[in-house]
Each structure stands twice: as C-alpha cells, then as structure tokens.
Amino acid sequence: AATAPRIPPTRLALHHFDTNYSLQLKDLWPSVRAGLLCEQKYGALLNNFSSVDHVTQELELLNATDFVSEAPKKAQRSQRAAAAEEAGRGESRSQEGSDEGRTVMQAETMSPPLCASISSNIKCYTFPRGDITRFRPARPDALGLLDYYLMDAASLLPVLALNVQLDDFVLDLCAAPGGKTLALLQTGVCGHVAANDVSISRTKRLYQILHSYVPKEIRETVSVTSCDGRDWGQLKGGTFHKVLVDVPCTTDRHSVMEEDNNIFHRRRTKERQMLPMLQLQLLMAGILATKPGGEVVYSTCSLSPLQNEYVIE
C-alpha cells in the first residue's frame, strides 16, 4: 500500500466503467462515455411560485424550449412517421387498404410514452442538442423567491413518472439536496410532501432550497426529516399514495469528473460494494411506506444493472 502508485478515484471509476459498460452497451458505449466526460448541461426548472412570465419569454428568446411539453409532441411525430413507414411497407407488399388505414389509426391513437404521466404544471427549459449556452444564475423576484432551479433535466424523469394526483401524500425517501422535492411541489397538487434524507448536512441544503423557492404557506405542507430511510416502513408504514426512492448510487458522472467525495476512492470500496444491498433495503422500505394501490418509483444516477434492474428483480 505504501509503494503502490496512487490512482485517482476518477481514473478508477472510468476504468471500471470501460470494463463493465462496454460489455453492457457495446457500440453505444463510446458515445455514452463521451457524454459522461462532457461538462454537465443543465435544465432550468421554472419556479411556479415566483413571477415566471417574463422568465419564460427570456428563455424562449435564447432558443431554449420546455422539454416537458415538447415530449408528447415529439412522441406523436415519431409515431406518425413510424405509422407512415409501416403503411408504405404494407403498400409495397400489396396489402389491402383497410389494413393500412387501421395501422395508421392505431399508431395515431396510441398514447405517447410518458404522456399520461406528464404534469403540465412542471416546466423545464433546455437548450437544443449541440447548444452549450449556460443559463444565467437564478434571480429573486419581489418576494425574494428565485425564478428557476438549475438541475440535470434527466432528474425530472422520476418525478414525471410518479404521476402525482390531486391531494396525494408523497414521500421523497432520499430527498437531499432537494431538486426532486422542489419539482414535486411545482405540480401544485400534492396534499402533503415528506422529504427525508439520512444526511443532516444534506438536509440543511434541502431546507435552503425550500426557503429560496417556496412560499411559507406551501412549506407548511412539507415535513423534512433526517431518518435512516431503511427504517421508514416501520416508522410510518402504508401512509403514502406515491413514494419516490431516488437511492444513493455510484453517480456515474460525478465519479468520473470529481475527486471530492468520490465513491471510487479506495477508502470507500466496501461502501461501494454494498450499494445494491442498501438500495434494495431502501426500495423495500419505500414499498412498505406506500398505501395499498399506491405507486413507487425507483431511480438512480447510474448505468449499472447491479444498481438498477437487479435491485428491481
């Protein structure tokens, strides 16, 4: 240990990903690898509790678009194109016109992916592919509430998949630093939100975000705790309509870009190896905290099947 060369954790992480993800993703891995090593590209989650009309105009003038509202439109365009292609193939096979018409009609009436679960109240602006423009820092309005929250736009997908309905009791089991909790509140329909994180220091960051973006009367519908999420099912079992279990993971982009607090540091080897067990325990606690007929969304920031598919299995 004293004489072996010290390898930075970022290099260890990249070596680990090269070894494993190249087998998993095959020809896709080089482009995914490049994406992991590129500078992070943020989305701007609009704060519906502040005056956002002028912000919307400002962002649209910069050529940014709300990817949440654009997603169903893109899905419909893709389905129509696929239906037209299928109809064209059918014509070349001399199929009867009624079959072609039925194919097109079925494709056009199918619900786009995520369409049913997208809340129109959530708006997140992103720049087009290839545009590396940076959003300006958030600014306070007259009441002191910041106008938008900068986050990885993909982090909104678990919140959208949760499909929160009016007056739902929602648990964000691993909530800090708070972006997903803030997004849940942007839906405007939550009856109550419980935001929990085992880390007291990260929970302080969550409090800061709530105070910077959410008015007092809405903050009163949020309870913030610092419990071990694995115990939540025993503490408050069967009480929530929707539960988000966004578990600690290898956080792949951070692992290849940041030396600080890197899970691939040699001192954290055992912790990293135990992650799938921790994730499984958190998911089980999330399920136990859910009412019969409720819904749980499990999510990570990792490509690893050990931390995703295998935990679900």
Side-chain angles (χ1 to χ4, degrees), residues 67-309:
F67 89 88
V68 182
S69 62
E70 284 294 314
K73 300 174 189 174
K74 287 183 179 179
Q76 286 174 335
R77 288 197 293 269
S78 298
Q79 286 173 342
R80 289 196 182 99
E85 184 179 345
E86 178 63 27
R89 282 201 299 265
E91 188 173 315
S92 67
R93 292 195 302 267
S94 301
Q95 287 183 340
E96 292 186 9
S98 59
D99 290 336
E100 294 168 22
R102 188 158 57 246
T103 301
V104 174
M105 182 178 70
Q106 286 172 344
E108 289 187 343
T109 55
M110 280 164 52
S111 296
L114 278 180
C115 189
S117 59
I118 285 182
S119 167
S120 59
N121 292 332
I122 294 180
K123 294 180 174 59
C124 184
Y125 279 78
T126 57
F127 290 108
R129 185 190 296 268
D131 185 339
I132 58 171
T133 305
R134 308 292 287 177
F135 290 103
R136 62 159 174 78
R139 295 172 185 155
D141 64 5
L143 298 176
L145 298 176
L146 297 178
D147 50 12
Y148 55 62
Y149 179 75
L150 296 180
M151 65 188 302
D152 189 328
S155 295
L156 270 186
L157 298 180
V159 175
L160 297 173
L162 202 58
N163 192 22
V164 178
Q165 302 298 307
L166 185 64
D167 294 330
D168 274 352
F169 275 46
V170 184
L171 169 62
D172 189 352
L173 191 60
C174 309
K180 294 182 180 68
T181 303
L182 180 60
L184 286 166
L185 294 173
Q186 297 304 314
T187 64
V189 296
C190 299
H192 175 74
V193 175
N196 177 72
D197 199 277
V198 69
S199 168
I200 294 175
S201 61
R202 284 165 58 85
T203 305
K204 288 179 181 177
R205 171 67 178 145
L206 172 58
Y207 272 116
Q208 290 172 353
I209 287 177
L210 291 176
H211 279 269
S212 298
Y213 287 88
V214 182
K216 183 179 178 182
E217 62 271 19
I218 303 299
R219 291 202 304 270
E220 290 173 352
T221 68
V222 182
S223 58
V224 179
T225 53
S226 294
C227 305
D228 187 331
R230 293 173 289 186
D231 300 329
W232 196 277
Q234 301 168 20
L235 296 171
K236 296 183 181 180
T239 54
F240 295 93
H241 301 96
K242 302 290 172 64
V243 176
L244 176 59
V245 187
D246 185 57
V247 293
C249 63
T250 49
T251 318
D252 293 354
R253 182 194 290 276
H254 180 275
S255 293
V256 297
M257 297 289 280
E258 302 288 339
E259 300 292 342
D260 292 340
N261 200 31
N262 194 310
I263 192 74
F264 281 85
H265 195 286
R266 291 190 182 279
R267 288 197 301 266
R268 301 183 71 185
T269 300
K270 188 66 175 177
E271 179 187 351
R272 188 177 77 250
Q273 291 170 343
M274 293 301 293
L275 273 176
M277 179 57 70
L278 170 64
Q279 293 160 346
L280 176 60
Q281 291 168 336
L282 287 167
L283 176 55
M284 290 300 297
I287 292 170
L288 292 172
T290 310
K291 287 176 177 285
E295 295 178 55
V296 179
V297 168
Y298 173 86
S299 60
T300 77
C301 301
S302 171
L303 296 166
S304 167
L306 282 173
Q307 299 174 63
N308 291 290
E309 295 91 329

